[in-house]
Amino acid sequence: METANRFVFKKITPNTQEAAVKPIKDYLMMQDKVLSCLEQVISREYLALKERHFELLQGLSTEKSDLMLKLQSNDQKLKLHPEVGTLKTKYSAEVLIIKNKMKKCHFRNEVNGKLITMCMQSSNRLQALLVEARDLVTRNMTYNNKGSASARAPLRVSVSA
C-alpha cells in the first residue's frame, strides 16, 4: 500500500539546441524560404480553382496554413531577437525583400479568395436552376396505381398530321 503513494520525479532539462538563439540572418533566410514555398502553394491553389480541381483544395489549404504558422513563429522569434535593431539597419534590404514577397502572397491569396467566392456563387446559381428544372418536371408528373410515372400536360405533346 505504501508504493501507491510514491511519486517518481524526473528532472527535465531544456534541450540546449532548441533554447539557443540562432543568428538573425538565419531567421530572415527561413522567412524568405517559407514565403517562396507559400508563393508556390498559392499558385497551385489558383490553378486548382481555375481548372476546377476542387479535390486538391483541402490539401493545399492545410499546406498553406502550416506555412502561415511557420511565418508567424519566425516573425515572433525575430521580434524577440536580441539583435532586432539590426533589421532596420544592417538587414534592411533583406527585410524589404521579405515584405515585398509577403505583399505579393497576400494579393494573390486575395485573388484566390475572390475566385472561391465566384465558384460558390456559380455553383449556387446552377443548383437553383437544377432545383427549378426538377420542380417543373415533377410538377407535371403523375403516377399510376403501379407506381409508373407519366407526364401530363403541358409536357405531353400530341401531334396530329
Side-chain angles (χ1 to χ4, degrees):
M1 303 245 176
E2 215 174 289
T3 57
N5 293 331
R6 284 192 200 165
F7 294 98
V8 177
F9 292 100
K10 185 177 180 181
K11 185 177 178 182
I12 300 173
T13 57
N15 187 339
T16 54
Q17 290 178 343
E18 289 180 348
V21 176
K22 295 179 184 178
I24 201 162
K25 180 87 172 168
D26 289 355
Y27 293 116
L28 290 172
M29 288 182 354
M30 199 177 308
Q31 287 293 79
D32 186 59
K33 188 185 293 187
V34 171
L35 282 168
S36 294
C37 291
L38 187 60
E39 282 179 317
Q40 291 174 358
V41 170
I42 291 172
S43 292
R44 291 189 347 242
E45 182 182 56
Y46 175 80
L47 287 174
L49 288 166
K50 183 178 164 191
E51 297 173 7
R52 299 195 179 265
H53 294 294
F54 301 125
E55 68 278 0
L56 301 174
L57 293 177
Q58 185 164 2
L60 291 170
S61 177
T62 302
E63 197 174 342
K64 187 167 61 170
S65 180
D66 291 345
L67 290 169
M68 291 300 294
L69 287 173
K70 285 180 186 176
L71 277 175
Q72 194 174 25
S73 173
N74 286 338
D75 189 55
Q76 191 64 26
K77 289 173 185 174
L78 281 167
K79 286 179 183 176
L80 299 174
H81 199 279
E83 299 173 10
V84 71
T86 60
L87 292 175
K88 293 181 180 178
T89 56
K90 185 177 179 182
Y91 297 109
S92 63
E94 288 88 344
V95 170
L96 184 62
I97 290 169
I98 289 169
K99 283 184 178 183
N100 286 335
K101 274 189 171 185
M102 182 67 83
K103 285 178 186 177
K104 184 178 177 184
C105 286
H106 181 72
F107 174 77
R108 294 179 77 196
N109 195 51
E110 282 184 350
V111 168
N112 288 359
K114 289 177 184 177
L115 265 175
I116 289 170
T117 301
M118 288 171 41
C119 287
M120 288 173 50
Q121 289 170 344
S122 175
S123 182
N124 289 340
R125 283 192 302 270
L126 178 61
Q127 180 184 10
L129 283 171
L130 291 172
V131 167
E132 187 178 320
R134 180 203 62 199
D135 290 348
L136 182 65
V137 168
T138 57
R139 189 174 35 231
N140 293 316
M141 299 294 285
T142 58
Y143 295 89
N144 62 21
N145 59 357
K146 294 181 181 175
S148 299
S150 63
R152 58 184 171 124
L155 287 181
R156 190 183 302 166
V157 178
S158 83
V159 178
S160 58

